[in-house]
PDB file of all heavy atoms in Angstrom:
ATOM      1  N   ARG G  32      15.681  55.065   3.905  1.00  0.00           N
ATOM      2  CA  ARG G  32      14.856  55.972   3.094  1.00  0.00           C
ATOM      3  C   ARG G  32      14.129  56.966   3.992  1.00  0.00           C
ATOM      4  O   ARG G  32      14.055  58.166   3.697  1.00  0.00           O
ATOM      5  CB  ARG G  32      13.851  55.161   2.273  1.00  0.00           C
ATOM      6  CG  ARG G  32      13.048  55.990   1.253  1.00  0.00           C
ATOM      7  CD  ARG G  32      12.107  55.086   0.461  1.00  0.00           C
ATOM      8  NE  ARG G  32      11.451  55.822  -0.594  1.00  0.00           N
ATOM      9  CZ  ARG G  32      11.953  56.017  -1.804  1.00  0.00           C
ATOM     10  NH1 ARG G  32      13.148  55.530  -2.092  1.00  0.00           N
ATOM     11  NH2 ARG G  32      11.288  56.698  -2.719  1.00  0.00           N
ATOM     12  N   LEU G  33      13.596  56.463   5.098  1.00  0.00           N
ATOM     13  CA  LEU G  33      12.919  57.357   6.035  1.00  0.00           C
ATOM     14  C   LEU G  33      13.888  58.342   6.663  1.00  0.00           C
ATOM     15  O   LEU G  33      13.502  59.443   7.068  1.00  0.00           O
ATOM     16  CB  LEU G  33      12.231  56.529   7.128  1.00  0.00           C
ATOM     17  CG  LEU G  33      11.053  55.655   6.674  1.00  0.00           C
ATOM     18  CD1 LEU G  33      10.562  54.786   7.829  1.00  0.00           C
ATOM     19  CD2 LEU G  33       9.915  56.522   6.130  1.00  0.00           C
ATOM     20  N   ALA G  34      15.165  57.941   6.719  1.00  0.00           N
ATOM     21  CA  ALA G  34      16.187  58.820   7.308  1.00  0.00           C
ATOM     22  C   ALA G  34      16.650  59.903   6.343  1.00  0.00           C
ATOM     23  O   ALA G  34      17.476  60.742   6.711  1.00  0.00           O
ATOM     24  CB  ALA G  34      17.375  57.994   7.768  1.00  0.00           C
ATOM     25  N   GLY G  35      16.147  59.843   5.098  1.00  0.00           N
ATOM     26  CA  GLY G  35      16.480  60.911   4.155  1.00  0.00           C
ATOM     27  C   GLY G  35      17.081  60.475   2.848  1.00  0.00           C
ATOM     28  O   GLY G  35      17.240  61.287   1.938  1.00  0.00           O
ATOM     29  N   VAL G  36      17.452  59.213   2.700  1.00  0.00           N
ATOM     30  CA  VAL G  36      17.999  58.726   1.427  1.00  0.00           C
ATOM     31  C   VAL G  36      16.839  58.235   0.584  1.00  0.00           C
ATOM     32  O   VAL G  36      16.343  57.129   0.763  1.00  0.00           O
ATOM     33  CB  VAL G  36      19.015  57.586   1.649  1.00  0.00           C
ATOM     34  CG1 VAL G  36      19.598  57.121   0.322  1.00  0.00           C
ATOM     35  CG2 VAL G  36      20.116  58.043   2.577  1.00  0.00           C
ATOM     36  N   ASP G  37      16.373  59.055  -0.334  1.00  0.00           N
ATOM     37  CA  ASP G  37      15.189  58.703  -1.107  1.00  0.00           C
ATOM     38  C   ASP G  37      15.509  58.403  -2.568  1.00  0.00           C
ATOM     39  O   ASP G  37      14.660  58.511  -3.439  1.00  0.00           O
ATOM     40  CB  ASP G  37      14.159  59.831  -1.032  1.00  0.00           C
ATOM     41  CG  ASP G  37      14.729  61.159  -1.516  1.00  0.00           C
ATOM     42  OD1 ASP G  37      15.936  61.205  -1.828  1.00  0.00           O
ATOM     43  OD2 ASP G  37      13.963  62.138  -1.591  1.00  0.00           O
ATOM     44  N   GLY G  38      16.742  58.009  -2.866  1.00  0.00           N
ATOM     45  CA  GLY G  38      17.103  57.658  -4.226  1.00  0.00           C
ATOM     46  C   GLY G  38      16.648  56.251  -4.575  1.00  0.00           C
ATOM     47  O   GLY G  38      16.044  55.537  -3.761  1.00  0.00           O
ATOM     48  N   PHE G  39      16.980  55.818  -5.787  1.00  0.00           N
ATOM     49  CA  PHE G  39      16.517  54.512  -6.257  1.00  0.00           C
ATOM     50  C   PHE G  39      17.064  53.323  -5.465  1.00  0.00           C
ATOM     51  O   PHE G  39      16.423  52.272  -5.431  1.00  0.00           O
ATOM     52  CB  PHE G  39      16.829  54.350  -7.741  1.00  0.00           C
ATOM     53  CG  PHE G  39      18.275  54.523  -8.109  1.00  0.00           C
ATOM     54  CD1 PHE G  39      19.135  53.453  -8.095  1.00  0.00           C
ATOM     55  CD2 PHE G  39      18.766  55.764  -8.487  1.00  0.00           C
ATOM     56  CE1 PHE G  39      20.459  53.602  -8.445  1.00  0.00           C
ATOM     57  CE2 PHE G  39      20.087  55.929  -8.839  1.00  0.00           C
ATOM     58  CZ  PHE G  39      20.948  54.847  -8.814  1.00  0.00           C
ATOM     59  N   PRO G  40      18.242  53.403  -4.789  1.00  0.00           N
ATOM     60  CA  PRO G  40      18.696  52.215  -4.034  1.00  0.00           C
ATOM     61  C   PRO G  40      17.743  51.804  -2.919  1.00  0.00           C
ATOM     62  O   PRO G  40      17.724  50.638  -2.522  1.00  0.00           O
ATOM     63  CB  PRO G  40      20.045  52.653  -3.467  1.00  0.00           C
ATOM     64  CG  PRO G  40      20.516  53.729  -4.387  1.00  0.00           C
ATOM     65  CD  PRO G  40      19.275  54.463  -4.779  1.00  0.00           C
ATOM     66  N   THR G  41      16.963  52.748  -2.395  1.00  0.00           N
ATOM     67  CA  THR G  41      16.054  52.430  -1.297  1.00  0.00           C
ATOM     68  C   THR G  41      14.597  52.368  -1.747  1.00  0.00           C
ATOM     69  O   THR G  41      13.703  52.309  -0.908  1.00  0.00           O
ATOM     70  CB  THR G  41      16.177  53.495  -0.184  1.00  0.00           C
ATOM     71  OG1 THR G  41      15.880  54.783  -0.740  1.00  0.00           O
ATOM     72  CG2 THR G  41      17.574  53.502   0.403  1.00  0.00           C
ATOM     73  N   ASP G  42      14.362  52.376  -3.049  1.00  0.00           N
ATOM     74  CA  ASP G  42      12.979  52.347  -3.531  1.00  0.00           C
ATOM     75  C   ASP G  42      12.304  51.038  -3.125  1.00  0.00           C
ATOM     76  O   ASP G  42      12.864  49.952  -3.334  1.00  0.00           O
ATOM     77  CB  ASP G  42      12.954  52.476  -5.055  1.00  0.00           C
ATOM     78  CG  ASP G  42      11.541  52.541  -5.586  1.00  0.00           C
ATOM     79  OD1 ASP G  42      10.963  53.639  -5.608  1.00  0.00           O
ATOM     80  OD2 ASP G  42      11.010  51.482  -5.981  1.00  0.00           O
ATOM     81  N   PRO G  43      11.102  51.094  -2.533  1.00  0.00           N
ATOM     82  CA  PRO G  43      10.432  49.868  -2.060  1.00  0.00           C
ATOM     83  C   PRO G  43      10.165  48.868  -3.169  1.00  0.00           C
ATOM     84  O   PRO G  43      10.284  47.656  -2.957  1.00  0.00           O
ATOM     85  CB  PRO G  43       9.126  50.399  -1.451  1.00  0.00           C
ATOM     86  CG  PRO G  43       9.409  51.828  -1.113  1.00  0.00           C
ATOM     87  CD  PRO G  43      10.350  52.318  -2.165  1.00  0.00           C
ATOM     88  N   LEU G  44       9.791  49.349  -4.367  1.00  0.00           N
ATOM     89  CA  LEU G  44       9.493  48.433  -5.463  1.00  0.00           C
ATOM     90  C   LEU G  44      10.736  47.663  -5.889  1.00  0.00           C
ATOM     91  O   LEU G  44      10.702  46.436  -6.062  1.00  0.00           O
ATOM     92  CB  LEU G  44       8.923  49.218  -6.649  1.00  0.00           C
ATOM     93  CG  LEU G  44       8.573  48.395  -7.898  1.00  0.00           C
ATOM     94  CD1 LEU G  44       7.519  47.346  -7.563  1.00  0.00           C
ATOM     95  CD2 LEU G  44       8.082  49.311  -9.015  1.00  0.00           C
ATOM     96  N   ALA G  45      11.855  48.378  -6.044  1.00  0.00           N
ATOM     97  CA  ALA G  45      13.092  47.730  -6.483  1.00  0.00           C
ATOM     98  C   ALA G  45      13.608  46.743  -5.442  1.00  0.00           C
ATOM     99  O   ALA G  45      13.999  45.613  -5.761  1.00  0.00           O
ATOM    100  CB  ALA G  45      14.153  48.783  -6.780  1.00  0.00           C
ATOM    101  N   THR G  46      13.612  47.157  -4.172  1.00  0.00           N
ATOM    102  CA  THR G  46      14.135  46.270  -3.123  1.00  0.00           C
ATOM    103  C   THR G  46      13.240  45.053  -2.917  1.00  0.00           C
ATOM    104  O   THR G  46      13.736  43.941  -2.719  1.00  0.00           O
ATOM    105  CB  THR G  46      14.279  47.041  -1.807  1.00  0.00           C
ATOM    106  OG1 THR G  46      13.020  47.662  -1.474  1.00  0.00           O
ATOM    107  CG2 THR G  46      15.328  48.129  -1.921  1.00  0.00           C
ATOM    108  N   SER G  47      11.933  45.249  -2.981  1.00  0.00           N
ATOM    109  CA  SER G  47      11.013  44.118  -2.823  1.00  0.00           C
ATOM    110  C   SER G  47      11.169  43.122  -3.968  1.00  0.00           C
ATOM    111  O   SER G  47      11.137  41.901  -3.757  1.00  0.00           O
ATOM    112  CB  SER G  47       9.566  44.618  -2.760  1.00  0.00           C
ATOM    113  OG  SER G  47       9.370  45.459  -1.642  1.00  0.00           O
ATOM    114  N   ALA G  48      11.341  43.630  -5.183  1.00  0.00           N
ATOM    115  CA  ALA G  48      11.531  42.735  -6.330  1.00  0.00           C
ATOM    116  C   ALA G  48      12.791  41.900  -6.165  1.00  0.00           C
ATOM    117  O   ALA G  48      12.808  40.701  -6.475  1.00  0.00           O
ATOM    118  CB  ALA G  48      11.605  43.559  -7.621  1.00  0.00           C
ATOM    119  N   THR G  49      13.853  42.505  -5.651  1.00  0.00           N
ATOM    120  CA  THR G  49      15.094  41.763  -5.429  1.00  0.00           C
ATOM    121  C   THR G  49      14.911  40.703  -4.356  1.00  0.00           C
ATOM    122  O   THR G  49      15.409  39.569  -4.483  1.00  0.00           O
ATOM    123  CB  THR G  49      16.222  42.725  -5.024  1.00  0.00           C
ATOM    124  OG1 THR G  49      16.365  43.735  -6.023  1.00  0.00           O
ATOM    125  CG2 THR G  49      17.542  41.984  -4.869  1.00  0.00           C
ATOM    126  N   GLY G  50      14.210  41.027  -3.292  1.00  0.00           N
ATOM    127  CA  GLY G  50      13.954  40.045  -2.239  1.00  0.00           C
ATOM    128  C   GLY G  50      13.135  38.865  -2.739  1.00  0.00           C
ATOM    129  O   GLY G  50      13.435  37.710  -2.419  1.00  0.00           O
ATOM    130  N   LEU G  51      12.103  39.142  -3.538  1.00  0.00           N
ATOM    131  CA  LEU G  51      11.287  38.054  -4.091  1.00  0.00           C
ATOM    132  C   LEU G  51      12.113  37.187  -5.034  1.00  0.00           C
ATOM    133  O   LEU G  51      11.929  35.962  -5.091  1.00  0.00           O
ATOM    134  CB  LEU G  51      10.080  38.647  -4.826  1.00  0.00           C
ATOM    135  CG  LEU G  51       9.006  39.275  -3.936  1.00  0.00           C
ATOM    136  CD1 LEU G  51       7.944  39.946  -4.797  1.00  0.00           C
ATOM    137  CD2 LEU G  51       8.368  38.216  -3.031  1.00  0.00           C
ATOM    138  N   ALA G  52      13.013  37.806  -5.782  1.00  0.00           N
ATOM    139  CA  ALA G  52      13.883  37.034  -6.674  1.00  0.00           C
ATOM    140  C   ALA G  52      14.768  36.089  -5.874  1.00  0.00           C
ATOM    141  O   ALA G  52      15.016  34.950  -6.292  1.00  0.00           O
ATOM    142  CB  ALA G  52      14.734  37.978  -7.521  1.00  0.00           C
ATOM    143  N   ALA G  53      15.260  36.542  -4.719  1.00  0.00           N
ATOM    144  CA  ALA G  53      16.087  35.679  -3.870  1.00  0.00           C
ATOM    145  C   ALA G  53      15.293  34.476  -3.372  1.00  0.00           C
ATOM    146  O   ALA G  53      15.810  33.352  -3.325  1.00  0.00           O
ATOM    147  CB  ALA G  53      16.640  36.480  -2.695  1.00  0.00           C
ATOM    148  N   VAL G  54      14.034  34.693  -2.997  1.00  0.00           N
ATOM    149  CA  VAL G  54      13.192  33.585  -2.542  1.00  0.00           C
ATOM    150  C   VAL G  54      12.934  32.602  -3.684  1.00  0.00           C
ATOM    151  O   VAL G  54      12.972  31.377  -3.496  1.00  0.00           O
ATOM    152  CB  VAL G  54      11.861  34.123  -1.976  1.00  0.00           C
ATOM    153  CG1 VAL G  54      10.917  32.982  -1.637  1.00  0.00           C
ATOM    154  CG2 VAL G  54      12.115  34.975  -0.735  1.00  0.00           C
ATOM    155  N   ALA G  55      12.688  33.130  -4.907  1.00  0.00           N
ATOM    156  CA  ALA G  55      12.486  32.251  -6.068  1.00  0.00           C
ATOM    157  C   ALA G  55      13.735  31.430  -6.366  1.00  0.00           C
ATOM    158  O   ALA G  55      13.660  30.238  -6.679  1.00  0.00           O
ATOM    159  CB  ALA G  55      12.101  33.090  -7.289  1.00  0.00           C
ATOM    160  N   ALA G  56      14.902  32.061  -6.238  1.00  0.00           N
ATOM    161  CA  ALA G  56      16.157  31.348  -6.469  1.00  0.00           C
ATOM    162  C   ALA G  56      16.371  30.257  -5.424  1.00  0.00           C
ATOM    163  O   ALA G  56      16.861  29.168  -5.742  1.00  0.00           O
ATOM    164  CB  ALA G  56      17.331  32.329  -6.466  1.00  0.00           C
ATOM    165  N   GLU G  57      15.995  30.526  -4.187  1.00  0.00           N
ATOM    166  CA  GLU G  57      16.127  29.514  -3.132  1.00  0.00           C
ATOM    167  C   GLU G  57      15.175  28.346  -3.386  1.00  0.00           C
ATOM    168  O   GLU G  57      15.544  27.176  -3.165  1.00  0.00           O
ATOM    169  CB  GLU G  57      15.841  30.139  -1.768  1.00  0.00           C
ATOM    170  CG  GLU G  57      15.627  29.148  -0.633  1.00  0.00           C
ATOM    171  CD  GLU G  57      16.773  28.168  -0.458  1.00  0.00           C
ATOM    172  OE1 GLU G  57      17.922  28.488  -0.819  1.00  0.00           O
ATOM    173  OE2 GLU G  57      16.505  27.055   0.028  1.00  0.00           O
ATOM    174  N   ALA G  58      13.959  28.636  -3.864  1.00  0.00           N
ATOM    175  CA  ALA G  58      13.032  27.550  -4.200  1.00  0.00           C
ATOM    176  C   ALA G  58      13.613  26.677  -5.310  1.00  0.00           C
ATOM    177  O   ALA G  58      13.507  25.443  -5.269  1.00  0.00           O
ATOM    178  CB  ALA G  58      11.684  28.129  -4.628  1.00  0.00           C
TER     179      ALA G  58
END
Side-chain angles (χ1 to χ4, degrees):
R32 187 178 186 86
L33 293 174
V36 182
D37 57 356
F39 56 89
T41 58
D42 184 85
L44 179 60
T46 54
S47 298
T49 304
L51 289 174
V54 174
E57 166 55 27

